[in-house]
Structures are given as C-alpha cells and as structure tokens.
Amino acid sequence: MSMIAAFYGGKSILITGATGFMGKVLMEKLFRTSPDLKVIYILVRTKAGQTTQQRVFQILNSKLFEKVKEVCPNVHEKIRAIYADLNQNDFAISKEDMQELLSCTNIIFHCAATVRFDDPLRHAVQLNVTATQQLLLMASQMPKLEAFIHISTAFSNCNLKHIDEVIYPCPVEPKKIIDSMEWLDDAIIDEITPKLIGDRPNTYTYTKALGEMVVQQESGNLNIAIIRPSIVGATWQEPFPGWVDNLNGPSGLIIAAGKGFLRSIRATPMAVADLIPVDTVVNLTLAVGWYTAVHRPKSTLIYHCTSGNFNPCNWGKMGFQVLATFEKVPFERAFRRPNADFTTNTITSQYWNAVSHRAPAIIYDFYLRLTGRKPRMTKLMNRLLRTVSMLEYFVNRSWEWSTYNTEMLMSELSPEDQRVFNFDVRQLNWLEYIENYVLGVKKYLLKEDMAGIPEAKQHLRRLRNIHYLFNTALFLIAWRLLIARSQMARNVWFFIVSFCYKFLSYFRASSTLKV
Ligand SMILES: CCCCCCCCCCCCCCCCCCCC(=O)SCCNC(=O)CCNC(=O)[C@H](O)C(C)(C)COP(=O)(O)OP(=O)(O)OC[C@H]1O[C@@H](n2cnc3c(N)ncnc32)[C@H](O)[C@@H]1OP(=O)(O)O
Ligand SMILES: NC(=O)C1=CN([C@@H]2O[C@H](COP(=O)(O)OP(=O)(O)OC[C@H]3O[C@@H](n4cnc5c(N)ncnc54)[C@H](OP(=O)(O)O)[C@@H]3O)[C@@H](O)[C@H]2O)C=CC1
C-alpha cells in the first residue's frame, strides 16, 4: 500500500487553479489513488457563460476522469466547488464558504496563476502575487492545515544560468509592488514595467519570482514547500499518455507546425528542451505534500521539477520527432505540408518569416478576396508570429537547475510510492513521449479522429502536387522573363533545346537501326 495515497485518505484538500491544465491532472490523480479522501475544495470562477457547477460537471465527465469513475463512483459528492475570483482581494468567497475552508482544510495546493507572458503587470501582480498573499493569510487561519504547497515555475529566475533550490530576492520588495499597483495608473505601470522586470523576459516570470518572495516573507508558522516545474507538457503515462488541454508551451506550436502555418522558428537546436510531463509534476507535487506534512522540514524547501539534469532532450531532437510524427499521423485540413525548421540567427529568421509566413498569408488573403471571402490569414499569421517571438526566449537558452531536494525526496519514497507517484524522468523515452504528445494534440486538442488519417494523407498529397505545380509555374515565369531580358539566358536556352533535340534524334536513329 502506498503511504502517500494513504496519507491523503480522509483529508480535506483545497486546490486553486483546479480547472487549469495542471489542476485537473492533480485532482484526477488524488481521486484515483486516494478515493477515500474526505473532500477536495476547488476555487472556481464562472467563465465563458458557464456556472461553476457546469464547469465542474464538464471536467468530471471528460475523458481525463474516465478511470476515476471506476474507483471513485461518488466523486461528485467529494468535490466541493466554491465560487471564487482571485482578481478580487477577498476572492469574492462567501462567508459560509470561507468559514468552511478555514475550519476544515488540511492541505493546500496553490496552482492558480496567470501564465500569459504578455499580461499587463497589474493583472499579473494581482494573480501571481497578491492572490498568493491573500491565500497565505487564509492559510494562517486554518487550524487543521498540515501543508501549503505553492506551484511556481523553474523560470522564475530565468535571468540566471544556474538556479539553486533557493528563493532569489527581487530588486523591489513585493509589498512595494503590490501597494504601487493600487495607485499607479495603467500608463505609468506600462512605462515602468520594463525597468521592474529587468533582465527577465516577461511579467509572468517576474511575478512568479515575486510570488515566491511573498511565500517566504509571509509564511509565518506555515508548513510550506515550493515546486518549480519547467515546461509542462502532455501526460507521459497517466491516466493515459498524451493528454493535454491547452495551447500553452509547445502544444500551440505543434498545432501551428502540423497545420503548416509555422515553417521556421528561431531556436538553438542543441539547447536543452526542458519539458516535464504534467503527470510527473503532479506525482512530485503529491509526494511533496505528503513529505512536507509528515516530516515538517524546518524551512521552506524548493523542489525543481525539471528533466535536463536527469534525462536531457534538445530542441533539435524534439523538432525532428514532431515532424516525423506528422509524416505518420498528419493533422487534418492542413494549410500547407508540415515542413518546419529551426533558424539560428535573426536575419535568416526574418527572411523566412517574410518568405514562408507573411508572403503566403498575403497571397492566400488575396485569393480569399478574389473568391468573395473575408481575408483572415494575415491576422492569424501575425498573432502566431507574435506568440513565437514570446516563446523564442525559452528555446534559445539552456539552464541548469540543482535537484538536490527532488533527489532527496525520491530517496525518501518506498518502492511502492516510487511506483505509484513516479517522478523519475530518467525512465522517460523522449521519442515515444514526443510522438504521444503529437498524437494527444491531434486527439484531445484538435478533436481529430484517427480514422481520418487516410483522408489527411490524401490532402497532403494534393498540397504537395499544388506546391510542385506552383513552383514549376513560378520557375517558368521567371525563366521566360529572364530570357526576354538576357542574351546569355537565350543562348543557354537554345543550347539546352538543341542538345535535347540532338539527343532525341540520336536516340530515335539508334532505336530504328536496332529493329
Ligand atoms: C522545427 C519543428 C518545429 C515543430 C514545433 C516544435 C515545438 C517547439 C516548442 C517550443 C515551445 C517552447 C515553449 C516554452 C515555454 C516555456 C514557458 C515557461 C513555462 C511556464 O512556466 S508557464 C507556460 C505557460 N505559458 C505559455 O506557454 C505562454 C502562454 N501564452 C501566452 O502568453 C499568449 O498566448 C501569448 C504567447 C502571449 C500570445 O498572446 P495573444 O497574442 O493574445 O494570443 P492568444 O493567447 O490570444 O492566442 C492567439 C491565438 O494563438 C493561439 N495560441 C495561443 N497560445 C499559443 C501558442 N503557445 N502557440 C501557438 N498558438 C497559440 C490561440 O489559440 C489564439 O488563436 P485564436 O484562434 O483563439 O485567436
Ligand atoms: N504550463 C506550464 O508549462 C507551467 C505552469 N507552471 C505553473 O503551474 C500552475 C498551473 O499552470 P497551468 O495549469 O498550466 O495554468 P492554466 O492557465 O491551465 O490554469 C490556471 C488556473 O488558474 C485559474 N485562475 C486564473 N485566474 C483566475 C482567477 N481570476 N480566479 C480564479 N482562478 C483563476 C484558472 O482558472 P480558469 O479556468 O477559470 O481560468 C486555472 O484554473 C501555475 O502556477 C503556473 O505558473 C509552472 C511551470 C510551467
């Protein structure tokens, strides 16, 4: 029997961000391995016209939770959705709900955040700093709380090459940042943002670092741990391989490449692609929750959940395997044949962006206009290129994260716990994982049926023929224009024609002689 699974039995667990990519997998794992847990409280806001109950119903009835229904048939009774909006200072939680949370919660997993790279600083601070501070205040009023697990990111200190399992101070105290957001107007905030984030690439990584400082400063007597995952990708093993439900990280770019929109990305092929499967992150998170509550370390421990130290992959290998998988399992209705490559400098990157991204989009929009349809490709391509420019920072660098605490934790687990809560990425086969990732993007993000593969391949063959015809026509037009303007070209052309004529005459003559 797993000690970790038994630990969560009978517990009341609060998860923020439970409707997110990681939060869903965390909930699923808890229900599947500890079906005798008492309750999981989740803070849920209304979104896209759905009530909190409708959102929870949709999650529990999704494919991700299929196995949970077998081991925990009464899962609906064990999940308690509480309306909350972390944009509000008191989370807009009702008094009754707050009273229940404060009096009953045993473990907190704080996953909620804004993960957008381009959020205005005010919004990122509200969600990634102020909300964390507010949750810590709530935690300090929970008499039964055994552990508070904060999910940060391995990139919170991406301005450093080597990152230890420590909290690095930011130049400006979080409290001063939080206070200034209350009276500065948006224009001033936008102006000072570059100075505040310094050599970090975006407001996301900066506010995650601030959030860690808040955890350190306002932890009081709380029993806290911080987990820093790197680039979280689709599931590796459980509940099944390849599950993913958002466009973040590599997922969106895999779609863009598979649909033929993305043809090049400025990346360093040998740079470490520090991906970490979401189920691996969740297994480590639950192990950390158990270890923090049972062993009560004297200080806040930080756990790096990364793969580069144990089983490194690189972007060249990932890109190669992604393209190889497209050959076997193409996406449907591709705009062009998938054929992407990494460029390693800005000039070639700008050239390919013009030739392979912007020009085809303009040509296609011209065709749409000619056929009386609304042009859309240029707008989509510009947004994709903006997304790519935001992600390029992470594919042109490598980092080293120390993993002493993660390795220590692994050594503390029994063999049964190492099996049930496996976060040992040394066992990960990257080629298999990446192939399953692409298949998962096709099945769970694009909702494409595997039965459509023959038609998708037929479509790609049509695109290939159109591509050849287009290139041939382009060559003939260019050659015709060249001949009209250049005597040299005409001489070459006549030489080729006369050579072909003589060869054919000789060939015909020799074949009649043989008869
Ligand atoms: C040579 C072979 C190539 C084959 C591909 C190989 C894969 C290479 C992978 C490289 C990926 C590297 C990823 C590194 C990320 C590390 C980050 C650190 C990890 C973390 O701690 S948190 C990670 C989570 N955060 C993110 O991933 C970023 C989240 N996204 C954003 O911040 C915003 O989307 C962004 C990037 C600022 C763009 O904002 P905006 O312009 O407003 O666009 P939208 O978000 O509204 O989306 C517009 C449009 O694009 C689609 N979309 C969204 N995200 C992506 C994406 N990552 N890739 C592609 N497309 C994306 C979205 O659906 C929208 O479409 P609509 O139709 O809805 O308009
Ligand atoms: N994805 C990755 O590659 C990595 C993620 N992380 C960290 O892991 C954690 C989870 O990330 P991930 O699951 O990918 O992120 P998602 O964007 O998928 O989920 C974010 C969660 O936060 C919730 N949330 C956001 N704003 C609010 C709000 N105003 N009120 C209530 N809830 C809100 C979202 O709720 P809603 O559904 O209502 O929007 C959602 O449940 C984050 O802390 C992130 O920094 C760390 C490293 C890598």
Side-chain angles (χ1 to χ4, degrees), residues 324-337:
T325 308
F326 289 149
E327 288 295 319
K328 289 193 283 189
V329 187
F331 293 169
E332 297 174 4
R333 297 180 301 280
F335 173 64
R336 287 178 298 187
R337 283 177 66 80

Side-chain angles (χ1 to χ4, degrees), residues 60-78:
L60 295 183
N61 287 285
S62 64
K63 176 159 177 62
L64 182 69
F65 278 74
E66 275 178 356
K67 291 184 179 176
V68 166
K69 290 182 182 168
E70 295 161 18
V71 296
C72 186
N74 61 335
V75 61
H76 295 80
E77 297 158 16
K78 288 186 174 257

Side-chain angles (χ1 to χ4, degrees), residues 409-457:
L409 179 61
M410 207 180 291
S411 67
E412 289 287 321
L413 266 56
S414 67
E416 177 63 4
D417 277 334
Q418 287 186 9
R419 185 186 68 81
V420 177
F421 295 90
N422 178 25
F423 53 87
D424 184 358
V425 287
R426 286 170 297 203
Q427 304 162 22
L428 177 65
N429 175 318
W430 281 111
L431 296 184
E432 190 180 291
Y433 172 71
I434 294 165
E435 181 170 325
N436 284 331
Y437 195 155
V438 175
L439 289 175
V441 165
K442 178 179 177 68
K443 287 190 279 188
Y444 309 119
L445 275 184
L446 295 173
K447 313 288 185 203
E448 294 182 359
D449 192 309
M450 300 304 271
I453 289 174
E455 168 58 28
K457 287 184 174 178

Side-chain angles (χ1 to χ4, degrees), residues 115-118 153 155 204 247-249 252-253 383 386-387:
V115 299
R116 289 185 62 91
F117 292 160
D118 65 341
T153 173
F155 297 96
Y204 168 72
L247 289 168
N248 290 338
L253 293 192
R383 291 187 82 171
R386 179 173 177 273
T387 296

Side-chain angles (χ1 to χ4, degrees), residues 15-24 43 86 109-113:
I15 302 177
T16 70
T19 55
F21 176 44
M22 196 180 304
K24 286 174 188 161
L43 303 187
L86 274 61
F109 292 105
H110 181 33
C111 303

Side-chain angles (χ1 to χ4, degrees), residues 240-264:
F240 45 81
W243 184 82
V244 60
D245 86 333
N246 69 23
L247 289 168
N248 290 338
S251 309
L253 293 192
I254 288 172
I255 291 178
K259 292 285 187 179
F261 295 120
L262 182 67
R263 309 288 277 196
S264 77

